Amino acid sequence: MRFRIGRPTHPPTHPHPHPDPDPEGTVPDAAPSLAAASGEAATAEPPLSARETALIRASVSVVEPFAADMTVYFYAILFTRHPEVRPMFPPGMDAQRGRLLRALLRIVDLVDDPESLVRFCGHLGRDHRKFGTLSAHFPAVGECLLASLARYAGPAWTADIAAAWTKAYGVVAGAMISAAEQDETQRPAVWPARVVHKVQRGHGIAEVTVRPHVPYPYVAGQYVSLETPWWPKVWRYYSPANAPRPDGTLTFHVRAVASGSVSDALVHRSALGDVVKLGAPMGDMVLDAAVHRDLLCVAGGTGLAPIRAIVEEVARRGGRHKVDLFLGARTGAELYGVDDMLRMAQQYHWLSIRGAVSHEYIPGIRGSLPQVLAEYGPWYQHDVFLSGPAPMVVSASETLTRNGTQPDRIHHDPFETPVLSAP
């Protein structure tokens, strides 16, 4: 249900988102700037000058055609120079290389937006605790990152560009280290959780309920990274489909996808009693982000999970919001979870449900979710919560904005959760 490279369609409004031999020569070490960068990144001033930002972005445009080879090279020299970090990674590295690239692009995109950059790096730092990342690892990563950039930038790499990248990496590392250290004082890095219930829903979808061994604090609408015992060090992100429960259980709606090792294991292999691991909750698509009483919730496929959790949270708070919920799918058979939500609508007077299909003629609403939203609007006096495939979220956001909804009232998860040092 997530994600996309680049800046979100709207700025977040609340703290709430994949060789050759080692080349000759040395690269400036990022370590000396880490402590200073942590304090610098906490201010409202851009951590880099306009010229430094321009140098970084220009260098990225030079290496972009070689991005795939560059990430292979980066990990090759990282594991050669610093073999102690290799056990932190899974045996297969293809997906991880893509995440590294997305992380770099995201950081470059935010380099002149210090508030968003610090928030993004804070999320990364806290999330990295589950990998066993230590502050001592960051200089090693910075050294190899700059060496890789220098190699593939070729003659375009200059001392000024190296200095700008060193400074930028120092800011990133400082923010990540600071966030991780603070988080360590407040909660565990991982939560073991036992599978206590599982229901197959057809179309490759299963509802998997787990009970963490110790209390797991999260907010309805957030998402969670999950590791299975069959694929160690491989984490995937899922949204709980429920608001916090008295018994502490969380239910995930998981669709098995082609080449999806974790999702396939959860849907087809997991059984009662199996123990998975949960990373810290993340995400800002939460009810407290809303300023309007009226809410528009839009869900495509298993994107219903966080929306369902938000609806439950509205109910927990006494139904003080009016909620219009639109569910979308290609066909009626794929209109996931509609019966469950209709039962909730019968129970709660403030909740209305509409289902739409885009590729089948059946009674009811026909069309894509963005088309249907335009037809049933306007929604400019609503807070909007979107969840589903990235193209749907992007198109719906654009449709709503054109029809008067303020961009800062449109809430959704990040389109990609990039990870710098482990998957």
Side-chain angles (χ1 to χ4, degrees), residues 41-54:
T43 71
E45 295 299 322
L48 274 69
S49 68
R51 180 174 182 273
E52 290 168 329
T53 298

Side-chain angles (χ1 to χ4, degrees), residues 190-273:
V190 297
W191 286 257
R194 189 174 304 276
V195 177
V196 296
H197 190 63
K198 181 179 178 181
V199 180
Q200 296 289 349
R201 293 299 187 187
H203 299 284
I205 298 174
E207 293 181 11
V208 182
T209 300
V210 303
R211 178 180 286 114
H213 294 181
V214 297
Y216 184 85
Y218 75 101
V219 178
Q222 289 188 302
Y223 57 93
V224 176
S225 57
L226 189 152
E227 180 197 50
T228 71
W230 306 284
W231 294 94
K233 301 182 179 66
V234 178
W235 296 78
R236 295 294 181 266
Y237 293 87
Y238 301 98
S239 296
N242 60 282
R245 297 167 174 156
D247 67 359
T249 59
L250 301 87
T251 297
F252 299 98
H253 294 181
V254 183
R255 184 191 299 273
V257 297
S259 72
S261 54
V262 175
S263 65
D264 187 74
L266 288 171
V267 172
H268 299 299
R269 188 168 181 177
S270 66
L272 302 187

Side-chain angles (χ1 to χ4, degrees), residues 26-360:
T26 60
V27 178
D29 192 341
S33 62
L34 296 184
S38 179
E40 181 180 3
T43 71
E45 295 299 322
L48 274 69
S49 68
R51 180 174 182 273
E52 290 168 329
T53 298
L55 288 171
I56 287 174
R57 288 179 171 159
S59 65
V60 168
S61 68
V62 173
V63 302
E64 194 167 10
F66 317 105
D69 291 339
M70 188 186 77
T71 53
V72 170
Y73 180 78
F74 165 78
Y75 283 109
I77 63 172
L78 177 65
F79 297 155
T80 299
R81 297 180 182 182
H82 306 279
E84 70 278 6
V85 306
R86 185 62 181 92
M88 297 171 57
F89 296 82
M93 291 293 297
D94 289 346
Q96 172 57 26
R97 296 185 187 106
R99 289 190 183 96
L100 172 68
L101 177 59
R102 288 191 291 270
L104 289 175
L105 292 174
R106 181 74 174 130
I107 288 167
V108 170
D109 194 45
L110 295 176
V111 74
D112 56 354
D113 182 354
E115 181 180 351
S116 295
L117 180 63
V118 170
R119 180 166 52 244
F120 172 75
C121 294
H123 285 319
L124 282 182
R126 289 185 289 271
D127 193 44
H128 273 55
R129 291 186 56 219
K130 67 177 182 261
F131 308 125
T133 304
L134 303 175
S135 58
H137 295 142
F138 284 88
V141 171
E143 167 201 335
C144 296
L145 174 62
L146 267 69
S148 302
L149 288 165
R151 177 181 178 86
Y152 284 90
W157 189 259
T158 66
D160 286 347
I161 291 176
W165 268 105
T166 300
K167 184 176 178 181
Y169 181 78
V171 172
V172 169
M176 291 179 66
I177 291 169
S178 177
E181 290 176 346
Q182 182 179 8
D183 195 62
E184 188 175 7
T185 67
Q186 301 173 354
R187 58 186 180 180
V190 297
W191 286 257
R194 189 174 304 276
V195 177
V196 296
H197 190 63
K198 181 179 178 181
V199 180
Q200 296 289 349
R201 293 299 187 187
H203 299 284
I205 298 174
E207 293 181 11
V208 182
T209 300
V210 303
R211 178 180 286 114
H213 294 181
V214 297
Y216 184 85
Y218 75 101
V219 178
Q222 289 188 302
Y223 57 93
V224 176
S225 57
L226 189 152
E227 180 197 50
T228 71
W230 306 284
W231 294 94
K233 301 182 179 66
V234 178
W235 296 78
R236 295 294 181 266
Y237 293 87
Y238 301 98
S239 296
N242 60 282
R245 297 167 174 156
D247 67 359
T249 59
L250 301 87
T251 297
F252 299 98
H253 294 181
V254 183
R255 184 191 299 273
V257 297
S259 72
S261 54
V262 175
S263 65
D264 187 74
L266 288 171
V267 172
H268 299 299
R269 188 168 181 177
S270 66
L272 302 187
D274 288 335
V275 175
V276 300
K277 293 180 181 179
L278 308 179
M282 301 176 69
D284 305 319
M285 193 180 73
V286 299
L287 189 57
D288 285 343
V291 300
H292 294 298
R293 179 182 178 275
D294 293 338
L295 308 181
L296 170 64
C297 294
V298 184
T302 52
L304 176 61
I307 299 298
R308 189 188 189 285
I310 290 171
V311 171
E312 280 194 7
E313 183 64 21
V314 173
R316 286 205 327 161
R317 299 187 184 190
R320 296 193 297 269
H321 295 274
K322 181 180 180 296
V323 180
D324 286 282
L325 171 58
F326 286 81
L327 305 176
R330 291 168 53 88
T331 68
E334 296 172 345
L335 203 55
Y336 174 76
V338 65
D339 291 341
D340 186 30
M341 299 310 300
L342 285 172
R343 285 191 291 269
M344 294 179 71
Q346 292 173 352
Q347 182 178 2
Y348 304 123
H349 66 88
W350 41 263
L351 175 62
S352 65
I353 310 292
R354 297 181 180 91
V357 298
S358 58
H359 288 67
E360 184 180 24

